[in-house]
């Protein structure tokens, strides 16, 4: 693949991550992105996402367990971990903080073209008024210097929605408080009857 990466995220993967952040508005939350490289057009397709944590966000044992379970399950479906999602605790914090960088670095060792998606609270808050079709997340990619750089400002790497109406669908889910149904690995580790795959979230 070339230096400029193109990512395409599916509606369900995208909405699940944002709902997870809305469920835990006063906490930092994170998740992983699952996908594959499309051989035909050199696009990294993000087909799925898994919410990780809202309380034990920086604890290594829980992270390692969750990543192993996720990798094993999705490998059978032809998907691998292709990126990381993070929402900062503070509404006005738009920096890639240490824990986000460390986990994204870890993922990039296995998948060098990994994406780091950071929730933009301003875009999310403005969404009901603006009816914008662009994602409410910012895309960061890892440079050869190992720094994470905000993509798109120079026309380089970019993130697009697979379904252009994803934000409209997401607003419907938000208005019906669907975010209450999201299960992450913190929930699963507290109560294993809670399914981190969220099989019924979009039914």
């Amino acid at each position: 693949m070339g230096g400029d990466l193109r990512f395409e995220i599916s509606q369900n993967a995208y909405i699940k991550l944002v709902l997870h952040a809305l469920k835990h508005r006063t906490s930092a939350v994170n998740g992983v992105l699952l996908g594959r490289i499309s051989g035909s057009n050199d696009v990294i397709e993000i087909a799925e996402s898994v919410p990780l944590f809202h309380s034990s966000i920086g604890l290594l044992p829980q992270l390692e367990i969750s990543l192993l379970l996720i990798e094993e399950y999705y490998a059978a479906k032809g998907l691998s971990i292709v990126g990381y999602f993070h929402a900062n605790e503070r509404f006005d914090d738009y920096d890639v903080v240490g824990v986000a960088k460390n986990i994204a670095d870890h993922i990039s060792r296995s998948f060098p073209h990994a994406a780091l998606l950071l929730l933009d609270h301003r875009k999310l808050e403005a969404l009901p008024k603006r009816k914008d079709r662009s994602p409410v997340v910012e895309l960061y990619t890892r440079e050869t210097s190992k720094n994470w750089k905000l993509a798109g400002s120079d026309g380089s790497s970019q993130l697009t929605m697979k379904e252009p109406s994803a934000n409209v669908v997401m607003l419907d889910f938000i208005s019906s408080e669907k975010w209450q149904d999201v299960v992450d690995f913190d929930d699963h580790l507290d109560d294993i009857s809670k399914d981190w795959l969220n099989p019924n979230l979009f039914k």
Side-chain angles (χ1 to χ4, degrees):
M1 298 184 72
D4 293 342
L5 303 173
R6 290 193 299 138
F7 297 85
E8 182 184 76
I9 189 166
S10 75
Q11 177 172 288
N12 286 2
Y14 167 71
I15 292 175
K16 194 188 305 179
L17 294 171
V18 177
L19 292 179
H20 182 220
L22 287 172
K23 183 175 181 179
H24 304 285
R25 295 165 198 258
T26 59
S27 305
V29 305
N30 62 357
V32 290
L33 315 173
L34 289 303
R36 62 175 73 85
I37 298 173
S38 171
S40 59
N41 51 7
D42 229 23
V43 172
I44 298 171
E45 299 174 344
I46 302 168
E48 257 298 353
S49 65
V50 176
L52 286 177
F53 304 108
H54 63 271
S55 62
S56 55
I57 195 165
L59 297 181
L60 194 58
Q62 285 91 326
L63 177 66
E64 290 180 339
I65 290 168
S66 64
L67 292 181
L68 282 172
L69 288 170
I70 292 166
E71 286 170 347
E72 182 180 353
Y73 178 84
Y74 282 101
K77 298 181 176 297
L79 301 176
S80 57
I81 296 176
V82 298
Y84 173 75
F85 169 81
H86 192 90
N88 286 325
E89 180 178 354
R90 289 206 336 267
F91 186 88
D92 59 348
D93 187 353
Y94 301 105
D95 293 328
V96 177
V97 294
V99 65
K101 182 180 180 299
N102 292 342
I103 298 174
D105 283 345
H106 176 76
I107 290 170
S108 72
R109 290 187 199 111
S110 302
F111 188 75
H113 302 298
L116 191 165
L117 301 184
L118 183 69
L119 180 67
D120 188 326
H121 291 281
R122 291 166 300 189
K123 286 185 179 178
L124 179 57
E125 186 181 44
L127 193 59
K129 305 183 192 85
R130 293 175 57 203
K131 301 290 193 289
D132 197 342
R133 286 179 173 245
S134 61
V136 297
V137 294
E138 300 285 0
L139 168 66
Y140 289 78
T141 54
R142 199 167 187 253
E143 300 179 295
T144 51
S145 62
K146 298 184 180 179
N147 292 320
W148 289 90
K149 176 190 173 188
L150 179 62
S153 55
D154 54 0
S156 59
S157 304
Q158 58 180 314
L159 174 72
T160 57
M161 307 270 219
K162 185 176 182 181
E163 295 91 352
S165 60
N167 279 342
V168 176
V169 176
M170 184 169 71
L171 285 172
D172 285 341
F173 280 124
I174 292 171
S175 65
S176 62
E177 300 188 349
K178 191 70 172 174
W179 41 266
Q180 295 188 60
D181 299 334
V182 177
V183 173
D184 64 12
F185 260 91
D186 269 330
D187 300 321
H188 176 71
L189 293 172
D190 286 340
D191 179 356
I192 59 169
S193 70
K194 294 182 177 179
D195 193 343
W196 56 268
L197 289 168
N198 290 280
N200 300 315
L201 186 62
F202 298 107
K203 290 184 177 175

